[in-house]
């Protein structure tokens, strides 16, 4: 491969660079770039690595707080959990690769986010995921669901990390652009956290892990462009994962971290060797020289261009303390991993790439990141949703229990057991709450503390009203943590949108960021890490705006953790936060009236905080036996999910006036709780003290759900309906529903 080809407009376009961006390269280096240099600029300046369309707005998010040790800018966020310990977490997307090659795309998404966490010195203790697929009837949906779920489980199970939470949803807008967002959570000692900032001149740069191959070349560039009809041809840009190699890499890194040998460490993720080397050098105000003939390769004849852009998995780059090379080498060879000194830090602030002594690239290292384009993209007002009909024609001839059954059997509300049972939820022995509740929970090893975690967003809301939708994504994550008795600490985000060069898409992004920022600020729930995934569209048709929020909270005493399951019969069921009234953009409207119309429900953040404080205080006072937040589907769906989780029925009484709004309205800042008769008065007193609306809507007991004495469905029948969707989807029986 000629390192000095003629640079044509076609070659520039192939590298994902626009003409004005290429001119900026010429102005910066004062000459034509070599092919390797063009590839390096392509990797560093694409959307996936440079955040060139989003960083202007990302800077507006609240990222600090007394509990925050490290916010955005490192491999993952770091938050203090007391007792000299920190939780380290992040969420990232692997959307484009997972559509092209679902199994490998999902596995390498999980592998990449796990590396982001243990690169910083944390042992991963939990994984989550947020998956979005197209219409269940679309011909590719079954194949994509099967491959992605198998990939998520195949990597996490083999690596040995419990998958404790997440979400799986379907909508036709994801038919040709699925979303695979992976989140990892780890624990580290606060005095043993590792960063990517290199220091010292002449220090050895060491390559660690698996060998470099040709898989994943241009992966980051592919993730920064929209799809077309030829997207399948991009299969070679998808990386191949090896969870057993990653497990060995984890153990080798954590062992070396005990030896005071590491100055800086960086995962080789997007853009591989290029991005990891540039980031370590630039953060430390140092230059980097790499000798590529020393890079361990698994394929013959790999060129410098290929080595610099490969995204082969399970690889790390480190700057070591001088004299510690033999210690590091012995550890990595013990774990049957490659170890190679491939360069050194320099004082000239240049990124100097050599191959058998020949200079392949010589670029100013800080400008590779600092001078990346930063766009203030134009944006318009987001389009308004269809108006909500003045009078919704409710089917009053169908019993409300039958409507509940239909909704609970749908793609939107059916049990996700088929999915999460393919994941190992219990490995490591600290899982306190498995998928199926409001949040996953793991015990912090050898303590009474618990970590709660969740992923949340409602894309319908975000399209109807991006500001309120952004607020709601944060608020629902907040409520899900509150619901298990956790104090929310901080969150990570994964912002999935279409093409930002379209003003209406950029408008969605900007407004969602405004909503997220406002919610994080009011709830004191800072964003400490995250990822932006743009260009999620095919042939000009974008996904629903999907800014997924991953929240983490702390339970100081895990014995006080709450769950969604009713605990016993003859307890009172209370609705917290007021009665339902809002059907705009609701699941009820979508499923029962084939409408996605109206505005989404408003999120009053002050009320959100107040109601959350009430729930936590009631849990601390042992007044509550079960908690569930009210979200998709409204009050009746929340109660049905609690009944199914416990196999205890319920008798519910709802006002006949505006019955459907009361039953299925998705008004925010609300919960369902249960309370024993002996504690009911104390609960009401606390509600008065904290100005929180509390209303009894029923009692637990029996083997049915009975609504207003005359509409009944047995739990056995409801469970059968609720569990059926995924079985029918995977066995091509959806038409029988």
């Amino acid at each position: 491969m000629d390192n000095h080809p003629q640079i044509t407009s076609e070659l520039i376009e192939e590298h994902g660079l626009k003409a004005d961006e290429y001119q900026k390269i010429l102005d910066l280096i004062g000459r034509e770039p070599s092919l390797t240099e063009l590839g390096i600029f392509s990797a560093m300046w694409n959307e996936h690595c440079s955040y060139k369309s989003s960083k202007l707005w990302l800077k507006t998010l609240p990222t600090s707080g007394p509990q925050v040790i490290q916010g955005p800018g490192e491999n993952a966020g770091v938050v203090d959990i007391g007792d000299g310990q920190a939780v380290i977490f992040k969420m990232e997307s692997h959307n484009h690769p997972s559509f092209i090659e679902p199994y490998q795309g999902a596995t390498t998404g999980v592998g990449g986010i796990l590396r982001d966490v243990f690169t910083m010195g944390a042992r991963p203790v939990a994984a989550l995921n947020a998956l979005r697929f197209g219409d269940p009837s679309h011909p590719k949906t079954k194949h994509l669901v099967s491959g992605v779920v198998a990939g998520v489980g195949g990597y996490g199970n083999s690596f040995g990390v419990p998958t404790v939470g997440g979400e799986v949803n379907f909508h036709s807008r994801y038919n040709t652009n699925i979303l695979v967002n992976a989140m990892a959570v780890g624990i580290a000692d606060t005095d043993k956290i590792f960063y990517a900032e290199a220091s010292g001149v002449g220090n050895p740069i060491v390559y660690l892990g698996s060998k470099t191959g040709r898989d994943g070349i241009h992966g980051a560039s592919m993730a920064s462009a929209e799809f077309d009809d030829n997207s399948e041809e991009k299969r070679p840009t998808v990386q191949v994962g090896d969870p057993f190699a990653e497990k060995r890499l984890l153990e080798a890194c954590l062992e070396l971290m005990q030896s005071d040998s590491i100055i800086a460490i960086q995962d080789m993720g997007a853009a591989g060797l290029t991005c990891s080397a540039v980031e370590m050098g630039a953060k430390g105000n140092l230059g980097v020289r790499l000798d590529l003939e020393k890079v361990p390769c698994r394929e013959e004849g790999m060129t410098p261009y290929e080595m610099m852009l490969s995204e082969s998995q399970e690889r790390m780059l480190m700057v070591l303390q001088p004299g510690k090379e033999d210690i590091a080498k012995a550890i990595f060879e013990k774990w049957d991993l490659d170890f190679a000194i491939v360069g050194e830090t320099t004082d000239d602030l240049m990124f100097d790439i050599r191959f058998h002594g020949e200079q392949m690239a010589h670029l100013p290292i800080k400008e590779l990141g600092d001078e990346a384009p930063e766009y203030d993209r134009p944006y318009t007002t987001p389009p308004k949703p269809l108006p909500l009909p003045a009078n919704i024609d409710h089917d009053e001839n169908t019993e409300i229990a039958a409507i509940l059954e239909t909704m609970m059997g749908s793609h939107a509300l059916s049990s996700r057991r088929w999915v999460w049972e393919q994941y190992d939820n219990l490995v490591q022995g600290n899982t306190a709450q498995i998928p199926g509740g409001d949040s996953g929970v793991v015990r912090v090893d050898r303590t009474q503390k618990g970590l709660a975690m969740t992923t949340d967003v409602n894309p319908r809301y975000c399209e109807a009203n991006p500001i309120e939708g952004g607020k709601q994504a944060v608020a629902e994550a907040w409520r899900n943590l509150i619901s298990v008795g956790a104090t929310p600490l901080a969150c990570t985000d994964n912002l999935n949108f279409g093409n930002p060069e379209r003003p209406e898409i950029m408008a969605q992004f900007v407004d969602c960021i405004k909503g997220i920022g406002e919610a994080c600020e009011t709830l004191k729930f800072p964003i400490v890490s995250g990822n932006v995934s743009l260009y999620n569209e095919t042939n000009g048709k974008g996904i629903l705006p999907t800014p997924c929020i991953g929240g983490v909270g702390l339970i100081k005493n895990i014995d006080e953790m709450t769950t969604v399951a009713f605990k016993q019969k003859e307890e009172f069921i209370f609705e917290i936060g007021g009665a339902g009234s809002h059907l705009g953009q609701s699941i009820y409207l979508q499923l029962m009236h084939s409408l996605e119309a109206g505005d989404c429900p408003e999120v009053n953040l002050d009320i959100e905080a107040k109601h959350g404080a009430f729930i936590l205080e009631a849990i601390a006072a042992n007044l509550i036996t079960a908690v569930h937040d009210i979200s998709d589907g409204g009050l009746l769906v929340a109660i049905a999910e609690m009944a199914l989780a416990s196999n205890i029925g319920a008798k519910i009484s709802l006002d006949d006036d505006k019955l459907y709004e009361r039953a299925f309205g998705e008004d925010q800042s609300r919960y369902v709780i249960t309370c024993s008769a002996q504690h009911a008065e104390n609960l009401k007193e606390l509600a008065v003290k904290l100005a929180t609306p509390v209303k009894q809507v029923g009692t637990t007991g029996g083997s049915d759900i009975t609504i207003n004495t005359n509409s009944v469905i047995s739990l056995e029948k409801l469970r059968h309906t609720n569990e059926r969707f995924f079985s029918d989807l995977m066995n091509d029986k959806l038409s029988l529903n």
Side-chain angles (χ1 to χ4, degrees), residues 207-341:
Y207 174 113
L208 307 160
S210 297
K211 288 180 168 58
T212 294
R214 291 189 172 95
D215 52 321
I217 293 173
H218 287 303
S221 298
M222 179 266 289
S224 304
E226 61 183 82
F227 280 163
D228 55 28
D229 293 331
N230 300 315
S231 296
E232 293 290 335
E233 297 174 4
K234 298 183 179 181
R235 192 178 300 270
T237 64
V238 178
Q239 311 93 324
V240 177
D242 181 349
F244 300 106
E246 178 126 324
K247 173 64 172 173
R248 299 198 311 274
L249 183 61
L250 162 72
E251 299 299 343
C253 286
L254 293 183
E255 184 175 342
L256 182 59
M257 286 168 175
Q258 302 301 313
S259 69
D260 193 31
S261 299
I262 301 170
I263 294 173
I265 179 170
Q266 178 71 44
D267 158 44
M268 284 194 233
L273 187 56
T274 290
C275 198
S276 56
V278 169
E279 286 187 3
M280 285 202 302
K283 285 180 179 178
N285 291 309
L286 293 169
V288 165
R289 194 201 76 242
L290 297 179
D291 299 307
L292 295 187
E293 71 275 7
K294 298 176 182 177
V295 171
C297 294
R298 69 168 181 260
E299 298 185 45
E300 293 290 331
M302 287 193 69
T303 66
Y305 178 91
E306 292 170 326
M307 284 186 261
M308 292 306 296
L309 297 185
S310 169
E311 293 184 10
S312 294
Q313 298 293 287
E314 293 83 43
R315 301 180 301 158
M316 292 281 187
L317 203 64
M318 288 185 187
V319 178
L320 288 180
Q321 297 278 6
K324 298 295 182 77
E325 296 91 336
D326 289 344
I327 294 173
K329 182 177 182 181
I331 290 172
F332 276 81
E333 288 185 347
K334 180 184 78 172
W335 287 100
D336 195 25
L337 294 164
D338 278 288
F339 174 97
I341 300 171

Side-chain angles (χ1 to χ4, degrees), residues 450-466:
L451 285 176
M453 54 209 74
T454 182
T455 62
D456 294 287
V457 66
N458 189 320
R460 298 187 318 281
Y461 292 0
C462 292
E463 179 153 87
N465 187 329

Side-chain angles (χ1 to χ4, degrees), residues 130-209:
L131 313 178
R132 283 181 166 77
F133 300 99
D135 191 300
S137 64
H138 189 274
K140 287 201 72 168
T141 297
K142 174 186 172 183
H143 162 71
L144 292 167
V145 170
S146 176
V148 166
V149 171
V152 169
Y155 205 100
N157 297 353
S158 301
F159 178 84
V161 63
T163 299
V164 299
E167 50 186 346
V168 184
N169 285 293
F170 299 84
H171 195 284
S172 60
R173 292 278 290 281
Y174 303 104
N175 279 351
T176 52
N177 284 267
I178 66 172
L179 301 184
V180 175
N181 294 175
M183 179 174 168
V185 180
I187 302 287
D189 293 336
T190 54
D191 61 351
K192 294 177 183 174
I193 296 168
F194 291 81
Y195 299 96
E197 181 179 317
S199 64
V201 176
N203 288 334
I205 297 174
V206 180
Y207 174 113
L208 307 160

Side-chain angles (χ1 to χ4, degrees), residues 545-603:
T546 313
C548 192
I549 300 295
V552 174
L554 178 67
I555 305 172
K556 290 186 178 179
N557 183 352
I558 203 162
D559 292 338
E560 297 177 358
M561 177 188 75
T562 47
T563 72
V564 303
F566 294 151
K567 294 301 179 294
Q568 56 189 18
K569 300 175 182 178
E570 305 304 326
E571 291 197 326
F572 295 163
I573 302 171
F574 289 100
E575 181 180 33
I576 308 300
S581 63
H582 190 99
L583 290 179
Q585 297 300 326
S586 65
I587 286 289
Y588 167 78
L589 205 64
Q590 181 192 58
L591 296 177
M592 305 310 298
H593 296 271
S594 301
L595 272 177
E596 291 184 25
D599 202 351
C600 69
E602 179 187 356
V603 182

Side-chain angles (χ1 to χ4, degrees), residues 408 417 565-566 639-648 705 714-720 722-723:
M408 292 294 288
R417 182 185 301 274
F566 294 151
I639 291 172
E641 289 171 342
M642 297 172 85
L644 290 173
S646 60
N647 210 31
I648 296 173
I705 293 178
S714 71
L715 288 184
E716 181 181 6
K717 183 179 181 184
L718 186 62
R719 187 180 308 282
H720 173 75
N722 185 239
E723 297 277 356

